[in-house]
């Protein structure tokens, strides 16, 4: 359980997340993920990183139970900073990052995938931001990198999800494959990238990030300010406590 790293092919490093039962990461998990991705990118032998997960789904976001157990602001602050570090680690990784997504990719999962350089997904993959149902805000910055602006807003306000095939039609998912073929497809793309000169790949990654029209780190931190405001006001706790209960259905 946790975050692990492997090197199945020359030039390719795989970072795997495994936090049963649904890969909802605790605060330390986000920091561990950030450290693993940064370490992989810093290795001169690595020319491409594959980000993947074990279990039922790719990522279910922040561990809400950890937030509910907290008696002060430390947990929400930790989650905010941990997510920001993990998302930035993927975006700022010195080499391209391929996200291999299966099952659900929610909340923080969208933050990770939206910052990746390429996405390969299984046919059962779905993507969304259920933040408004869970007393949080954020990652619209990253969802906007996967879908057009008006669709992003509709998905955000409704907490609906989209399928991998829909994202493939929008051009943000490279390939959609049967779940059993996901790892093979992701590694196939990673090998193709890793076949390039590593020095040029690192320059290319820096150049592409440099012409990005959106400063993703600044935009996400701006969003997180409203997440903290929601917590200070108490509305976040009310929504989180109602999550999955009859009271939430009454509020809907």
């Amino acid at each position: 359980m946790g975050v692990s790293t492997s090197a199945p092919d020359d030039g390719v490093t795989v970072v795997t997340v495994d936090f049963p039962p649904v890969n909802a990461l605790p605060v330390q998990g986000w920091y561990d993920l950030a450290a693993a991705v940064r370490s992989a990118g810093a290795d001169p032998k690595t020319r491409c990183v594959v980000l993947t997960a074990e279990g039922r789904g790719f990522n279910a976001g922040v561990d809400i139970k950890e937030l509910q157990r907290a008696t002060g602001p430390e947990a929400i602050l930790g989650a905010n900073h941990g997510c920001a570090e993990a998302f930035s680690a993927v975006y700022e990784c010195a080499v391209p990052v391929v996200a291999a997504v299966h099952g659900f990719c929610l909340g923080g999962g969208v933050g990770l995938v939206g910052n990746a350089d390429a996405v390969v997904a299984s046919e059962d993959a779905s993507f969304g931001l259920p933040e408004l149902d869970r007393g949080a805000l954020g990652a619209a910055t990253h969802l906007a990198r996967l879908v057009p602006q008006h669709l992003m807003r509709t998905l955000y306000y409704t907490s609906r999800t989209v399928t991998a095939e829909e994202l493939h039609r929008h051009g943000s998912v490279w390939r959609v494959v049967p779940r059993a073929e996901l790892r093979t497809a992701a590694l196939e793309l990673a090998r193709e990238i890793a076949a390039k000169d590593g020095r040029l790949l690192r320059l290319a990654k820096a150049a592409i990030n440099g012409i990005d029209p959106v400063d993703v780190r600044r935009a996400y931190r701006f969003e997180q300010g409203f997440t903290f405001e929601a917590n200070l006001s108490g509305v976040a706790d009310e929504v989180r406590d109602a999550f999955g209960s009859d009271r939430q259905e009454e509020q809907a």
Side-chain angles (χ1 to χ4, degrees):
M1 189 178 90
V3 179
S4 60
T5 302
S6 61
D9 292 288
D10 181 41
V12 177
T13 297
V14 177
V15 175
T16 304
V17 176
D18 185 15
F19 285 87
V22 294
N23 282 324
L25 272 59
V27 170
Q28 188 57 50
W30 292 106
Y31 282 108
D32 292 345
L33 176 55
V37 172
R38 291 191 189 281
S39 177
D43 185 344
K45 296 179 182 178
T46 299
R47 297 187 294 280
C48 186
V49 172
V50 175
L51 179 58
T52 187
E54 296 288 347
R56 291 161 51 187
F58 178 77
N59 191 286
V62 170
D63 185 349
I64 293 179
K65 292 181 180 179
E66 184 179 44
L67 298 181
Q68 291 174 320
R69 290 193 298 268
T71 57
E74 291 77 14
I76 187 63
L77 287 173
N80 275 7
H81 285 289
C83 283
E85 281 304 303
F87 299 170
S88 295
V90 173
Y91 182 78
E92 296 167 356
C93 184
V95 299
V97 176
V98 174
V101 183
H102 73 281
F104 44 80
C105 179
L106 304 172
V110 169
L112 296 170
V113 171
N115 274 332
D117 294 277
V119 184
V120 177
S122 61
E123 293 170 336
D124 67 342
S126 60
F127 304 74
L129 292 179
E131 314 305 274
L132 294 184
D133 287 342
R134 300 182 183 179
L137 298 169
T141 294
H142 313 101
L143 184 58
R145 298 168 68 82
L146 300 172
V147 299
Q149 181 69 210
H150 283 82
L151 178 55
M152 178 275 287
R153 289 171 179 260
T154 303
L155 293 172
Y156 196 87
Y157 297 145
T158 62
S159 298
R160 288 177 178 265
T161 60
V162 289
T163 66
E165 187 55 47
E166 288 176 285
L167 291 189
H168 180 62
R169 291 199 295 270
H170 287 297
S172 49
V173 166
W174 176 251
R175 285 184 65 190
V176 180
V177 298
R179 184 158 174 172
E181 299 174 16
L182 179 61
R183 180 180 174 87
T184 299
L187 287 175
E188 182 180 282
L189 177 57
R191 289 190 202 101
E192 184 175 350
I193 294 171
K196 309 298 182 185
D197 185 282
R199 297 162 298 179
L200 285 178
L201 277 174
R202 290 167 186 270
L203 289 173
K205 178 67 181 278
I208 291 174
N209 279 6
I211 63 171
D212 202 316
V214 176
D215 182 337
V216 293
R217 180 187 278 267
R218 184 200 63 79
Y220 179 59
R221 293 296 285 159
F222 178 83
E223 286 188 75
Q224 286 188 312
F226 291 95
T227 298
F228 193 59
E229 182 176 329
N231 277 270
L232 287 176
S233 70
V235 65
D237 287 334
E238 291 179 18
V239 173
R240 270 196 296 270
D241 291 344
F243 177 65
S245 69
D246 292 337
R247 189 153 61 91
Q248 184 186 44
E249 296 177 3
E250 294 170 1
Q251 290 173 346

